[in-house]
Amino acid sequence: MKKQIIRIARFQAVLLTAAVFVAGCVQIPAEPEKNPASGGEYDRSAALQCADAVLRAFQEKNMNC
């Protein structure tokens, strides 16, 4: 019984490790993709634009945003 529990624990550990390594294998593009609908400009999401605005306000110590 004890050996069976150890085998199950090992299997779960191996399965978890494999899942973490597979999830970490994401291909990152060399440069951002261009959006053809915006005339070749880089495609930036609204969340990224908002984060840039907050960062700029923080760097300029502008608390009126």
Side-chain angles (χ1 to χ4, degrees):
M1 183 72 175
K2 195 172 187 179
K3 287 185 178 186
Q4 186 178 9
I5 292 173
I6 292 173
R7 275 193 219 141
I8 292 171
R10 282 185 187 167
F11 177 74
Q12 288 176 344
V14 169
L15 190 64
L16 179 64
T17 303
V20 168
F21 282 127
V22 169
C25 296
V26 176
Q27 183 178 6
I28 300 172
E31 68 178 60
E33 295 180 16
K34 293 184 179 181
N35 185 0
S38 65
E41 294 290 322
Y42 289 112
D43 188 17
R44 298 174 57 112
S45 67
L48 185 58
Q49 292 173 1
C50 180
D52 286 344
V54 170
L55 179 62
R56 270 189 254 108
F58 180 75
Q59 288 174 340
E60 297 169 0
K61 297 180 181 171
N62 181 5
M63 301 299 174
N64 297 327
C65 57

